[in-house]
Amino acid sequence: MGADYREPIFIKPEPRRKPVFVWLLAATAVMVAALTFDEVVEWKDGEPRLAKKRERQMQKELKELQEAEQYALIAKQPKFYPCLKCPAPTIFLNAGEVWKYGVTRKGQDGRYHKDFLIQNDLDYLPQFRGSLQECLEEEKRKIFQYPLLPENLVRPPPQRLAKPPGNLRTD
């Protein structure tokens, strides 16, 4: 029994513009959240140094740069999934097919809430661990090589994709 590749008919909604006050609110939040010199520097014996909290934050973020993860979000069941940059808004994926490739420094729990994965019938599958740079390179390779995956090549030619349906970037 083959995959059902019938395309549903959808009307593409007009993109909504964000009201000006939303942009002003966001800009205000950024300015309020900005750190001050006195919050990140403390003086000891007349010498400036990073505050302990700032030092811990720096060490944590440096460690995260060395402990990143490249992952795939995989379809859990055969059905139509959103296709973010396709001619049609959805595409049929079989169970086990790639919906998205990504990279995170925070692991599955820090990147996706379990409700998102459940509601979208997706599994999070770590594929590579290393530095952030190594993981970004691996993600790039997989996105560029996606057109050659057997799951993509078995689709009828008009439904073959240049990148996974869940990846927004135009790589």
Side-chain angles (χ1 to χ4, degrees):
M1 186 164 172
D4 181 0
Y5 287 105
R6 291 174 287 160
E7 286 293 326
I9 298 173
F10 289 98
I11 297 172
K12 203 169 191 176
E14 289 293 319
R16 291 183 358 182
R17 289 186 173 178
K18 295 207 186 301
V20 174
F21 76 90
V22 172
W23 294 109
L24 290 173
L25 182 62
T28 303
V30 168
M31 289 189 307
V32 169
L35 293 172
T36 66
F37 180 82
D38 290 335
E39 292 173 308
V40 297
V41 172
E42 61 187 22
W43 296 88
K44 180 157 182 159
D45 300 325
E47 295 291 322
R49 69 176 190 183
L50 285 179
K52 287 182 179 98
K53 182 178 177 182
R54 188 69 167 168
E55 178 70 33
R56 283 192 303 273
Q57 180 184 9
M58 179 181 71
Q59 293 304 323
K60 177 182 176 240
E61 290 191 22
L62 288 172
K63 183 178 177 188
E64 286 175 357
L65 292 174
Q66 296 306 313
E67 297 178 0
E69 183 172 86
Q70 182 272 311
Y71 64 87
L73 295 183
I74 306 294
K76 286 177 78 168
Q77 36 180 323
K79 68 175 203 170
F80 283 94
Y81 285 82
C83 195
L84 304 180
K85 287 284 189 172
C86 300
T90 63
I91 190 161
F92 188 88
L93 295 180
N94 288 303
E97 292 184 345
V98 173
W99 183 71
K100 177 185 180 178
Y101 291 118
V103 171
T104 182
R105 300 177 311 166
K106 309 280 186 185
Q108 175 182 340
D109 295 335
R111 180 64 182 97
Y112 293 101
H113 193 277
K114 67 179 181 175
D115 292 342
F116 171 84
L117 297 172
I118 291 168
Q119 290 169 0
N120 291 284
D121 285 322
L122 296 167
D123 278 327
Y124 180 99
L125 178 65
Q127 296 185 310
F128 180 85
R129 289 187 175 95
S131 70
L132 180 60
Q133 179 67 32
E134 292 168 326
C135 290
L136 289 169
E137 289 173 10
E138 191 65 21
E139 175 196 33
K140 198 64 83 173
R141 274 188 208 92
K142 289 181 177 170
I143 291 172
F144 272 89
Q145 293 175 353
Y146 179 83
L148 305 176
L149 285 182
E151 68 190 53
N152 192 41
L153 292 173
V154 298
R155 293 185 181 114
Q159 295 176 10
R160 291 179 186 156
L161 302 175
K163 61 184 171 35
N167 283 95
L168 278 172
R169 289 188 237 135
T170 57
D171 308 316

